Amino acid sequence: MPDGTESESRKLLGRLRDTMAEDAAGQARLDKITHLTADSMGSEVCSIYLFRDEDTLELCATEGLKKEAVHQTRMRMGEGLVGRVARSGKVVNTADAPSERGFRYMPETGEEIYSSFLGVPIQRLGETLGVLVVQTKQKREFTSDEVYALEVVAMVLAEMTELGAFVGDTAALSARHTQPTMLRGGTGQEGTTEGHVWLHEPRVMVTNLVADDPERESERLAAAIEQLRVSVDEMLAGAVEDAEQLEVLEAYRMFANSKGWRRRMEEDISRGLSAEAAVEKEQSAARARMSQVADNYLRERLHDLDDLSNRLLRILTGQGKDTGASMPADPILVARNIGPGELLEYGRQLRGIVLEEGSVGSHAAVVARALAIPLVINAPRITTEALNGDHIMVDGDQGIVHLRPDDTVVTAFRDKIAMQAEAQERYASIRQKPAVSLCGKRISLYMNAGLLADLPSLENSGAEGVGLFRTELQFLVRNKMPSRTELVRVYKRVIEAAETAGHKPVIFRTLDIGSDKVLPYMKPTDEPNPALGWRAIRVGLDRPGVMRMQLQALLRASEGRPLTLMFPFVAQWEEFRAARAEVDKAIAIERKLGHVVPEKISVGTMLETPSLAYASNKFFEEVEFVSIGGNDLKQFFFAADRENERVRRRYDTLNVSFLTFLEQIVQRCSATGTPLSFCGEDAGRPIEAICLAAIGLHRLSMRPASIGPVKSLIMRTDLDALYDVICDARERGEQSVRGAVMEYMRWQG
């Protein structure tokens, strides 16, 4: 604007507010905004471009360009200077637009006579909705005051777009949160489901964007920040034993006391924004920066600032988390991310979960798998796109979310769910039958578990026992270390439930922490590659106090009954021997205390590192059983981080080299008579499972819901003939046997 004064900024915002208050159609409002902005900025042109779909911007209103170009001129993301602003989320300010890299001339607009260009993204909470542009014939760069003024107008446009102020007949002016949307994320837990959205963090809607009394708004902001500081101090006082939570809260305190953060918001207020709008403007800027930052620590700090801004907005608007809305009968939880404790509070009432962030090994994914709830992770924009009560369909198998699906999608999706339900009914008829192949091989199918809520599946799924009980979940869902008494109580209930289900065995895996499973009360270690770092048995041996406490709890819970346990992530024989010695020490202590010890104790290990596969024969003779941890072993074999979406699907489990490696492990265990099993996601995938069985892995452990499909296919397969197919594919030099196996299975019918 010509003089760059705060009063001019407030005048423009006041005129924009009056325009919004008028009873006018969306197009008329946009037209008036471009006129007002061009007039206030002293520019010949002001144009508004909005997205009509994910990749296409459309000229929706203009002052100065040819009117016939409105709703006709379109460009792809990244195309031209406007597309560059949209893609980068950054301002482009140039005195000579035609000479700029990437400039695209749009002849139908008549813009060839304009030299200077200022484009700012229309953003709300990190999501780019469009681009706002001003242009002049005179060659000049716009001042910082002018850039700021246009950013404020863009912020108001974003909020009003969110509130439906510009709804019209074209795709770019369609009402937000009403159109069918498909989001593609990643699989956190398989399964398909449908229901209605329940937001873990309800949206805060800002409706009063412009204020006439800056002094009053500054007072409101100051009071809200003081209330925020007090609440952060109270949280800090209650978190004295929680190192990680203390670190987060200290970051909260730093931001709550940040003079820069407060100064920027006060400047926004002085230019005419309300306190709420000033907070959200700063929050949007933080989210935009977050998307550009690769450093994990900085991203976490920006997350802290984002969360703090949400708290401040709730204080200012009075919109608490409890909005009065009732949870739907078929809730699909939607959240940016969620901790295991919070997820367990929802429990099995959830039909599904969709997270904007997360990873396959995150605490939330571990709990979702334990509860058998379909989970999609890394679903972009889901928290800004979804509203409470929206119809939503979740395909955890493909990592796809259908939000507000149309009738065609609903029909196809329900057909898929019906087919799965029909298959489950068929599986129920073979629940009590053994998994015996057509060639007479008996395959033992076990289930993975980690929560008491899993245990009813022992009977319902047809599992022959628990092949892996993850003991870390009892540690992950608490804010402090569980006591030995609490652990005894949990482990005892697990053993008793297995007895009630028909004296079925349970294999307890000792504490597997580190890497992607950091305890809330454990100080995180600064490691460049935690998956290869200080985790699992390494932590247990270096800090034996927790291991001893857990071993004593397991011994006491058995009350003299047989006990089977295994150690995770053993990389060499010496680690197993050291861990086995800890078991002997724990037994000696229990006897000395006069406690009953198990009548029989079996101690094994998970084979998750290639190094252990090449241990000496003495190791295989000494260990009482081995369980291949397929998820970790696969990532180390292929050097492909399973948390990295770019590479984790790159390598096939049925790759010839991996199957050959697994077969070598089978042969080593067979030579020493060491019982061997396979535990992991691939054990629960029917095609992978029959191939594992064909190469000699006759004991598989998987999620309960997979037992029926796997058993059904085993019973219909000649494993000897399938092994010949695998060997033939290997002899032909094929990289993966999948194609040959699928062709054989189709031929078999």
Side-chain angles (χ1 to χ4, degrees):
M1 51 194 57
D3 61 6
T5 64
E6 294 176 0
S7 60
E8 285 295 322
S9 177
R10 288 201 297 274
K11 285 178 185 176
L12 174 56
L13 284 174
R15 294 165 76 185
L16 288 174
R17 179 186 57 195
D18 294 341
T19 298
M20 298 304 177
E22 292 175 2
D23 186 13
Q27 186 64 56
R29 283 176 170 161
L30 283 175
D31 292 340
K32 191 158 187 179
I33 288 170
T34 56
H35 173 76
L36 287 173
T37 305
D39 183 52
S40 295
M41 297 282 294
S43 62
E44 288 98 345
V45 174
C46 176
S47 305
I48 296 171
Y49 298 82
L50 298 174
F51 279 105
R52 60 177 284 115
D53 58 43
E54 277 190 15
D55 298 311
T56 311
L57 287 154
E58 182 177 297
L59 177 63
C60 290
T62 188
E63 174 77 13
L65 299 183
K66 292 180 180 179
K67 292 294 183 184
E68 54 266 33
V70 174
H71 298 305
Q72 300 304 313
T73 295
R74 294 169 187 167
M75 62 196 69
R76 307 293 287 179
M77 176 86 84
E79 185 179 10
L81 298 186
V82 173
R84 191 166 117 199
V85 173
R87 167 163 284 173
S88 68
K90 296 179 180 178
V91 171
V92 171
N93 182 8
T94 176
D96 187 6
S99 67
E100 278 289 313
R101 173 180 57 84
F103 174 80
R104 181 191 166 195
Y105 171 52
M106 313 286 282
E108 72 275 15
T109 66
E111 65 177 341
E112 65 273 12
I113 61 175
Y114 302 105
S115 294
S116 66
F117 175 99
L118 172 60
V120 303
I122 300 171
Q123 289 179 327
R124 184 178 188 275
L125 301 182
E127 180 185 12
T128 301
L129 308 177
V131 178
L132 177 61
V133 175
V134 291
Q135 297 169 273
T136 65
K137 294 177 183 177
Q138 177 190 358
K139 283 188 177 182
R140 71 181 185 89
E141 277 199 18
F142 291 86
T143 67
S144 58
D145 280 340
E146 289 171 320
V147 173
Y148 181 90
L150 201 63
E151 286 179 326
V152 170
V153 175
M155 186 261 183
V156 173
L157 277 170
E159 288 297 332
M160 300 315 294
T161 300
E162 177 74 12
L163 295 170
F166 308 121
V167 175
D169 296 330
T170 72
L173 298 185
S174 60
R176 287 175 59 73
H177 311 300
T178 59
Q179 300 301 310
T181 302
M182 186 191 85
L183 302 172
R184 190 177 294 277
T187 296
Q189 162 65 16
E190 296 164 342
T192 52
T193 187
E194 74 168 307
H196 291 84
V197 168
W198 180 251
L199 292 170
H200 181 59
E201 288 275 353
R203 303 163 71 97
V204 178
M205 300 302 294
V206 177
T207 55
N208 59 322
L209 300 168
V210 183
D212 294 321
D213 188 349
E215 189 174 336
R216 167 64 182 144
E217 294 304 301
S218 291
E219 290 172 355
R220 291 181 61 232
L221 178 65
I225 288 176
E226 183 56 33
Q227 186 176 335
L228 181 67
R229 285 173 178 165
V230 170
S231 67
V232 170
D233 287 342
E234 289 174 348
M235 286 189 288
L236 267 165
V240 290
E241 297 180 0
D242 191 332
E244 188 175 2
Q245 189 180 358
L246 272 171
E247 183 182 343
V248 171
L249 292 176
E250 286 292 357
Y252 280 6
R253 175 187 271 172
M254 179 187 72
F255 285 127
N257 289 282
S258 168
K259 292 180 180 178
W261 185 49
R262 182 168 179 171
R263 186 187 66 251
R264 289 191 296 272
M265 292 187 289
E266 286 177 340
E267 286 175 358
D268 292 332
I269 289 172
S270 70
R271 293 174 185 260
L273 290 182
S274 67
E276 291 91 333
V279 174
E280 188 157 290
K281 182 174 180 293
E282 181 64 21
Q283 185 181 22
S284 290
R287 284 206 180 176
R289 292 196 299 274
M290 202 183 302
S291 64
Q292 306 294 323
V293 171
D295 183 85
N296 285 335
Y297 178 81
L298 290 178
R299 282 182 62 84
E300 284 303 315
R301 296 293 73 82
L302 286 169
H303 275 314
D304 295 339
L305 181 56
D306 187 43
D307 186 54
L308 206 64
S309 298
N310 265 334
R311 291 170 185 267
L312 192 55
L313 280 173
R314 294 189 192 284
I315 292 170
L316 284 165
T317 62
Q319 299 175 32
K321 287 190 178 182
D322 185 3
T323 62
S326 298
M327 183 183 286
D330 51 359
I332 305 288
L333 185 72
V334 170
R336 192 180 74 192
N337 218 330
I338 188 170
E342 293 172 302
L343 190 50
L344 280 171
E345 285 180 15
Y346 285 106
R348 292 185 183 273
Q349 64 181 315
L350 297 177
R351 291 279 187 88
I353 307 164
V354 183
L355 299 179
E356 195 161 304
E357 300 175 359
S359 65
V360 292
S362 67
H363 301 166
V366 170
V367 173
R369 283 195 287 271
L371 296 174
I373 299 173
L375 165 66
V376 171
I377 56 175
N378 297 317
R381 310 187 322 279
I382 185 66
T383 57
T384 53
E385 192 67 45
L387 295 178
N388 266 342
D390 278 346
H391 185 202
I392 184 171
M393 293 180 147
V394 178
D395 187 340
D397 301 330
Q398 303 295 322
I400 292 173
V401 178
H402 297 283
L403 189 62
R404 300 178 292 269
D406 58 29
D407 290 344
T408 304
V409 171
V410 169
T411 300
F413 200 89
R414 286 180 177 166
D415 284 347
K416 180 177 181 177
I417 291 176
M419 289 174 64
Q420 290 178 337
E422 185 179 322
Q424 287 297 332
E425 288 181 14
R426 292 200 306 272
Y427 303 146
S429 66
I430 61 172
R431 183 182 301 153
Q432 303 305 324
K433 294 181 179 179
V436 179
S437 68
L438 292 178
C439 56
K441 287 189 170 58
R442 171 80 159 81
I443 310 300
S444 299
L445 303 181
Y446 288 72
M447 62 173 263
N448 300 330
L451 296 168
L452 293 172
D454 293 324
L455 299 178
S457 298
L458 257 176
E459 287 192 84
N460 301 336
S461 66
E464 296 177 45
V466 177
L468 167 65
F469 190 88
R470 304 181 185 91
T471 60
E472 59 270 10
L473 288 182
Q474 284 72 45
F475 291 78
L476 289 171
V477 299
R478 299 165 186 261
N479 289 323
K480 62 179 182 179
M481 182 80 71
S483 69
R484 180 165 37 229
T485 302
E486 289 173 318
L487 291 179
V488 170
R489 189 182 307 122
V490 171
Y491 300 153
K492 184 178 176 182
R493 289 179 64 186
V494 172
I495 294 169
E496 288 174 347
E499 278 192 332
T500 303
H503 295 280
K504 295 183 177 180
V506 178
I507 299 176
F508 291 93
R509 183 180 68 187
T510 60
L511 193 57
D512 185 4
I513 56 171
S515 183
D516 53 2
K517 296 190 284 289
V518 179
L519 301 182
Y521 39 87
M522 174 183 173
K523 186 177 181 180
T525 54
D526 183 17
E527 295 185 301
N529 192 340
L532 296 174
W534 196 59
R535 53 175 291 200
I537 195 64
R538 297 168 181 175
V539 177
L541 294 176
D542 289 353
R543 300 286 187 271
V546 176
M547 180 192 281
R548 289 170 188 166
M549 185 265 283
Q550 186 183 29
L551 290 174
Q552 284 182 283
L554 285 164
L555 291 168
R556 292 180 190 181
S558 71
E559 294 183 335
R561 292 166 288 204
L563 176 66
T564 305
L565 56 88
M566 63 181 172
F567 295 107
F569 205 62
V570 172
Q572 58 185 3
W573 182 18
E574 184 55 40
E575 289 173 336
F576 174 75
R577 297 189 77 176
R580 184 66 177 85
E582 289 295 334
V583 176
D584 293 336
K585 289 177 189 175
I587 292 173
I589 290 171
E590 289 302 291
R591 282 186 172 138
K592 190 173 182 179
L593 292 172
H595 296 151
V596 179
V597 297
E599 61 186 46
K600 179 184 179 185
I601 182 164
S602 299
V603 183
T605 183
M606 296 203 78
L607 193 158
E608 299 169 278
T609 62
S611 63
L612 195 63
Y614 296 103
S616 69
N617 281 338
K618 290 289 185 181
F619 162 74
F620 287 97
E621 291 168 357
E622 180 177 310
V623 71
E624 291 176 81
F625 65 90
V626 171
S627 179
I628 294 173
N631 298 340
D632 263 332
L633 184 62
K634 183 178 170 184
Q635 76 166 340
F636 297 137
F637 184 84
F638 288 114
D641 184 357
R642 65 191 181 107
E643 299 296 322
N644 187 334
E645 292 297 322
R646 290 182 178 179
V647 300
R648 78 183 188 95
R649 296 182 185 276
R650 192 182 186 95
Y651 301 99
D652 190 358
T653 302
L654 301 187
N655 182 291
V656 165
S657 59
F658 189 56
L659 281 183
T660 301
F661 178 57
L662 293 178
E663 193 171 3
Q664 289 174 1
I665 298 171
V666 170
Q667 290 165 357
R668 293 210 67 186
C669 288
S670 177
T672 55
T674 309
L676 177 66
S677 63
F678 185 98
C679 174
E681 294 173 12
D682 290 318
R685 298 187 173 115
I687 293 298
E688 283 83 341
I690 58 172
C691 290
L692 294 173
I695 65 171
L697 285 159
H698 294 167
R699 180 169 174 155
L700 307 175
S701 190
M702 64 203 71
R703 66 188 183 104
S706 297
I707 291 175
V710 168
K711 182 185 289 187
S712 176
L713 191 57
I714 287 172
M715 294 172 71
R716 292 182 284 117
T717 302
D718 183 330
L719 295 179
D720 289 338
L722 180 62
Y723 182 70
D724 291 338
V725 170
I726 291 171
C727 290
D728 288 345
R730 187 158 45 194
E731 286 297 318
R732 290 194 301 270
E734 294 184 14
Q735 180 168 289
S736 170
V737 305
R738 187 175 298 277
V741 169
M742 295 300 292
E743 183 180 348
Y744 170 75
M745 296 307 295
R746 281 192 293 271
W747 180 73
Q748 290 294 306

